[in-house]
Amino acid sequence: MNNKVYWTINKTKELFNKPLLELIFLAQNIHRKNFKPNKIQISTLLSIKTGACPEDCKYCPQSSRYKTGIEKERLIKINKILEAANKAKKNGSTRFCMGAAWKNPKDKDMPYLKNIVEKVKNMGLETCMTLGSLNKNQAKILYKAGLDYYNHNIDTSPEYYKKIITTRSYKERLDTIKNVRNVGIKVCSGGIIGLGEGIKDRMILLMQLANMKIPPESVPINMLVKISGTPLEKNKDIDPFDFIKIVAIARVMMPNSYIRLSAGRENMNEQTQAMCFMAGANSIFYGCKLLTTPNPKEDKDLKLLNKLGIEIESKNIKENNIQNKFDIKKAKFYDASVN
């Protein structure tokens, strides 16, 4: 971590301008220096509270502002969560992620969430939650319960973000990341490609993540899933090579992070996924759904991994060894006003 690079717009632009195959070669070499090349980390994601979210994220089918056919569901009972966690573990997942469609949890929810984390953790799984914004005290409660990771994506650049979400500021997202990092929870944060953003927005997204004092241990790279009823349902499809390039650049800029193929993988063919793995992706979500969007079934994933000779990682030794101290005063975030 002492040799950490601070990424400027010019340094980042150099990566974006590299020929794709040269970039993949560079990314693969960096990947092999930091990770076992034929291992992949598997996570399973469960929606523990679905729909009726007050946010206006233009890509999200769970927003109460759009008619997408998503059925509202209250916080599900803990026995159902534990059943899903047990199934995930049997299928090879090492991390169980739980998401609730909230702007933020209420203090009255915290004892229940604490109980969930403790029970899933006792099953021998790493735990991750995504619950919206967290204050310092809520983060502390989850840390004491044993929460390993908190997912809070920043989605895109600060400038383009304003066109996608108006109900939560970009600063609020960064504040939540600081709150969870400061208490000792590892960070899972990435973005979405295909929101209508430009190349510079993609550059700044990766700069925001890479220039954190400690970059996120897990970086989900999502391809927009166009959901009927959302404002982005008719967005232009992303060229697979453009997506592969983002994965490769993320690997170069964040050599110690797990780069995860997340939403949109159901729409990727085997060749695209294989090139993403070659470009440095080494984590996937596993199972039939990512909250409310489709995901390849387990048997389909296993067939692909077997074809490629990729083995499921049984324990995240790499992540557990990453120093997790965070000094908020020294934290660096890219200033979008700087050219």
Side-chain angles (χ1 to χ4, degrees), residues 49 75 115 117 127 141 190 202 251 266 320:
K49 185 269 175 188
L75 266 174
N115 191 28
V117 172
T127 53
I141 289 169
R202 295 175 188 175
R251 168 52 66 218
E266 169 70 11
N320 290 338

Side-chain angles (χ1 to χ4, degrees), residues 93 127 265:
S93 289
T127 53
R265 200 161 60 84

Side-chain angles (χ1 to χ4, degrees), residues 201-240:
D201 295 305
R202 295 175 188 175
M203 291 182 191
I204 294 172
L205 164 66
L206 295 178
M207 289 167 64
Q208 283 277 19
L209 297 166
N211 284 338
M212 292 179 184
K213 180 69 175 178
I214 299 176
E217 285 83 357
S218 287
V219 180
I221 306 295
N222 299 276
M223 182 184 286
L224 176 68
V225 177
K226 293 181 285 186
I227 305 294
S228 180
T230 63
L232 303 186
E233 65 175 301
K234 294 184 180 179
N235 269 29
K236 184 180 178 182
D237 288 342
I238 292 298
D239 187 306

Side-chain angles (χ1 to χ4, degrees), residues 73-91:
E73 186 180 75
R74 293 179 179 272
L75 266 174
I76 61 178
K77 300 238 173 131
I78 196 164
N79 63 312
K80 298 236 176 231
I81 296 172
L82 297 180
E83 283 174 15
N86 186 52
K87 180 182 177 184
K89 185 178 180 180
K90 286 181 178 178
N91 287 334

Side-chain angles (χ1 to χ4, degrees), residues 57-182:
C57 308
K58 289 183 169 58
Y59 53 79
C60 186
Q62 299 202 65
S63 172
S64 60
R65 298 159 189 259
Y66 315 130
K67 295 181 180 179
T68 60
I70 294 293
E71 293 185 13
K72 300 175 188 177
E73 186 180 75
R74 293 179 179 272
L75 266 174
I76 61 178
K77 300 238 173 131
I78 196 164
N79 63 312
K80 298 236 176 231
I81 296 172
L82 297 180
E83 283 174 15
N86 186 52
K87 180 182 177 184
K89 185 178 180 180
K90 286 181 178 178
N91 287 334
S93 289
T94 57
R95 188 179 311 157
F96 192 65
C97 306
M98 295 156 278
W102 281 324
K103 182 177 175 65
N104 54 271
K106 303 292 188 292
D107 287 341
K108 66 180 182 180
D109 300 313
M110 297 311 297
Y112 185 60
L113 296 172
K114 178 177 179 288
N115 191 28
I116 293 170
V117 172
E118 289 172 344
K119 282 187 162 50
V120 173
K121 184 87 169 175
N122 286 338
M123 296 173 67
L125 286 163
E126 288 185 319
T127 53
C128 178
M129 282 187 160
T130 177
L131 312 167
S133 296
L134 286 186
N135 61 39
K136 293 176 182 178
N137 187 55
Q138 290 171 334
K140 192 179 294 185
I141 289 169
L142 292 175
Y143 172 74
K144 288 182 177 178
L147 188 68
D148 296 292
Y149 290 84
Y150 195 77
N151 168 259
H152 203 60
N153 292 332
I154 59 174
D155 290 347
T156 185
S157 71
E159 288 302 313
Y160 197 72
Y161 178 91
K162 299 168 188 175
K163 298 180 181 180
I164 302 299
I165 302 160
T166 66
T167 50
R168 185 205 309 263
S169 71
Y170 205 84
K171 182 180 181 301
E172 283 181 83
R173 289 189 181 257
L174 297 180
D175 286 346
T176 291
I177 290 171
K178 288 181 183 180
N179 287 341
V180 298
R181 176 68 85 190
N182 195 42

